[in-house]
Amino acid sequence: MPSPKARSGGGGRSGSVPAGGGGAGGNGRYEFMSLTRTPSHLLQRQGSDPTSARLRASESPCRRRGSGSSSASTSSAGGQPVPEEDCMRLNPSTLGIALSSLLAVDLWLSKRLGVCACEDASWGSVRPLMKLVEVSGHGIPWLLGAAYCLYKSDSAAGQEVTLNLLMALLLDLVLVGVVKALVRRRRPAHNRMDMFATFSVDRYSFPSGHATRAAMCARFLLAHLVLAAPLRVLVLLWAAFVGLSRVLLGRHNVTDVAFGFFMGYFQYNLVEALWLSPVVLQSMMGQLE
């Protein structure tokens, strides 16, 4: 009957176990120990290789979770700061997501609605009509028309209305030019710069000057002219069609026109606050003389 000692070390296998196997409790199970421990010569190689050190640091649980802001701003190998633009932002703000989504929808919808942007577009045959509507909302015809009516008017009430309309048109040009110069949003990529009488600031898109002018003039005419119901509806349709033509021609994005209507509507409140009466005008003329 062989002894327990002979069974545990029989077959000559104990002599083939490496010396490091004794660290596992003397049970000779070197194969399990090698799975949980890294040999010393590999540890020395990894410690001297910076690439391996970086790989181990990137595979660590803390690095994978990305829980600390310091791990995103510094590298594990040499402690060098990582540029802020290279760091991944895992928690963008809700406002940033909403604005980015709105911009994407705006660009997509504006491109889909630009059906008259060129002659080869799906509605390219009606492009001359859209350009005629564009001219009807341009600032130069409105300024010339208001100046002519002021010159031909023979009543104090008519002169008062046309004078304030002329001042409102000049105010619209100044405000739209300032906002465009501040925002500096480029026009849509599918736009053709063949507009009537453009200026340097007209290369910018936000807001739509035609939309602001149409909304302000429509509200001005409805408030100070006695018009029949069909003419009042026609004025509103003209203002809406001017704004729509800006998107169909590819001149502006949808948000440019929407903000232009909003801005023009409230510009009329400013015109009412700065309203020039004949008495004020006569006093100004007397001071100039």
Side-chain angles (χ1 to χ4, degrees):
M1 189 60 141
S3 64
K5 186 175 182 179
R7 283 201 306 267
S8 61
R13 289 179 296 182
S14 60
S16 61
V17 178
N27 57 359
R29 296 184 178 274
Y30 176 78
E31 61 274 13
F32 294 104
M33 182 198 68
S34 63
L35 293 177
T36 58
R37 297 179 61 185
T38 305
S40 59
H41 66 282
L42 292 180
L43 286 175
Q44 294 176 357
R45 286 182 55 190
Q46 293 177 358
S48 61
D49 190 1
T51 304
S52 301
R54 286 195 297 269
L55 290 176
R56 290 199 310 274
S58 63
E59 293 173 358
S60 63
C62 296
R63 187 72 174 182
R64 286 196 301 268
R65 286 195 300 267
S67 58
S69 59
S70 60
S71 61
S73 60
T74 58
S75 60
S76 301
Q80 297 295 329
V82 179
E84 184 66 24
E85 60 271 14
D86 294 340
C87 299
M88 182 181 296
R89 299 182 181 274
L90 299 179
N91 297 316
S93 63
T94 304
L95 180 60
I97 294 176
L99 292 178
S100 300
S101 302
L102 177 62
L103 179 61
V105 172
D106 179 35
L107 296 177
W108 173 81
L109 186 60
S110 302
K111 188 173 183 179
R112 292 293 300 271
L113 292 177
V115 293
C116 303
C118 59
E119 289 79 3
D120 299 334
S122 56
W123 288 15
S125 59
V126 299
R127 180 177 171 83
L129 178 61
M130 293 295 104
K131 294 189 70 174
L132 183 62
V133 176
E134 178 182 65
V135 173
S136 71
H138 199 277
I140 291 180
W142 276 94
L143 287 171
L144 294 178
Y148 179 78
C149 292
L150 179 62
Y151 174 74
K152 286 294 185 179
S153 180
D154 53 358
S155 64
Q159 291 177 357
E160 179 181 356
V161 171
T162 52
L163 174 64
N164 284 276
L165 177 60
L166 184 61
M167 298 301 295
L169 293 171
L170 293 175
L171 179 65
D172 173 72
L173 289 177
V174 172
L175 292 180
V176 171
V178 169
V179 175
K180 282 187 174 182
L182 291 176
V183 177
R184 294 176 176 268
R185 185 183 189 184
R186 293 291 179 178
R187 291 188 180 270
H190 55 280
N191 173 51
R192 288 177 55 188
M193 288 299 293
D194 57 349
M195 291 182 292
F196 169 73
T198 58
F199 299 95
S200 59
V201 76
D202 288 330
R203 67 179 181 270
Y204 301 123
S205 178
F206 185 90
S208 171
H210 282 70
T212 60
R213 192 174 302 110
M216 184 193 66
C217 290
R219 195 176 176 192
F220 188 98
L221 296 178
L222 294 177
H224 295 284
L225 295 183
V226 180
L227 300 174
L231 291 179
R232 297 176 72 88
V233 173
L234 188 61
V235 169
L236 292 176
L237 290 177
W238 167 80
F241 203 47
V242 167
L244 180 61
S245 68
R246 310 308 291 159
V247 181
L248 297 180
L249 286 170
R251 308 293 196 201
H252 293 277
N253 297 303
V254 176
T255 52
D256 302 335
V257 176
F259 185 83
F261 278 138
F262 179 82
M263 181 175 172
Y265 184 86
F266 286 99
Q267 272 181 185
Y268 176 76
N269 295 338
L270 183 60
V271 172
E272 288 289 333
L274 301 176
W275 188 266
L276 296 177
S277 63
V279 177
V280 175
L281 180 61
Q282 290 177 2
S283 63
M284 291 174 60
M285 295 299 294
Q287 291 177 1
L288 292 176
E289 292 176 357

